[in-house]
Amino acid sequence: MDPDANEEELWENIRIIHPDISDENRSFLKECLKATRNVPIRPWTETDILVRSDRAGIHGLLDKYNATTGEYTLTRCTNAPRIGCWPDDALRAAAFLICLEETCTTKVDGIYIEYIPSGIVRYFKPTPKDRRMVLQLIHKVRDIDKGIFPEKPLNPPCFRCSFLERCQQNKPRRLSFLFKK
């Protein structure tokens, strides 16, 4: 929307985009507007840019692109961490950059991440570790699609896993399993 749009105009557009949105979310909009009041708005020439990587077998919609500067922006509706970006956002940014390498003709090293509720914009340049984690996740998803249940990691997030009841690997293990080949 126009950077000068007021709260009422924004809310009406949000209701057009999300007709089922609860009026309770209007207070969230007010908080976001307050947080971003003194933050320069990242300019864009395009939104919802379809990007894909045939090599990695992934695709997605990137939030903003500025053709004038060649900068891409990922917009998040979560508060910013104290420093850097959230681990999930690092993976998302790395996946988008993998896609952009095939979609774009110019090299893109990093991406801006807007944390709207905090009014914070940060530049993030994924590391090789971030890219490797994206590829590992892609392989895990492919295995799950084939019906292969994933191995339990060393420090599993069992307390929030949707497969907790189904998982046969929740039994206590001895440390000797680490040294088996």
Side-chain angles (χ1 to χ4, degrees), residues 55-80:
R55 285 177 28 209
I58 57 175
H59 64 276
L61 285 175
L62 188 53
D63 297 314
K64 299 178 186 176
Y65 171 64
N66 183 347
T68 308
T69 61
E71 296 171 344
Y72 293 88
T73 303
L74 176 61
T75 303
R76 305 295 296 137
C77 290
T78 57
N79 287 310

Side-chain angles (χ1 to χ4, degrees), residues 18-102:
H18 296 286
D20 298 330
I21 194 166
S22 167
D23 287 333
E24 295 170 7
N25 288 313
R26 184 144 185 183
S27 61
F28 180 68
L29 173 62
K30 285 180 185 183
E31 290 173 29
C32 290
L33 289 172
K34 184 178 176 183
T36 58
R37 185 171 293 138
N38 298 318
V39 177
I41 295 174
R42 304 270 324 136
W44 69 87
T45 54
E46 293 180 54
T47 59
D48 298 327
I49 302 98
L50 179 62
V51 293
R52 71 178 311 109
S53 169
D54 292 328
R55 285 177 28 209
I58 57 175
H59 64 276
L61 285 175
L62 188 53
D63 297 314
K64 299 178 186 176
Y65 171 64
N66 183 347
T68 308
T69 61
E71 296 171 344
Y72 293 88
T73 303
L74 176 61
T75 303
R76 305 295 296 137
C77 290
T78 57
N79 287 310
R82 264 187 329 114
I83 57 171
C85 69
W86 295 113
D88 289 350
D89 295 336
L91 289 175
R92 189 175 284 114
F96 278 128
L97 289 177
I98 288 170
C99 291
L100 286 170
E101 288 171 357
E102 289 184 48

Side-chain angles (χ1 to χ4, degrees), residues 114-148:
E114 292 178 326
Y115 290 101
I116 301 296
S118 301
I120 292 175
V121 179
R122 294 193 173 132
Y123 183 76
F124 178 72
K125 183 177 178 181
T127 64
K129 179 183 175 187
D130 297 319
R131 291 169 169 263
R132 184 174 57 249
M133 288 182 72
V134 168
L135 293 178
Q136 289 172 347
L137 285 172
I138 291 168
H139 292 292
K140 284 182 183 179
V141 168
R142 287 181 184 156
D143 286 347
I144 291 169
D145 283 343
K146 293 177 189 173
I148 301 169

Side-chain angles (χ1 to χ4, degrees), residues 154 171-180:
L154 282 175
K171 302 173 203 155
R173 292 193 274 185
R174 297 174 187 231
L175 285 175
S176 59
F177 86 95
L178 291 171
F179 304 108
K180 293 180 181 176

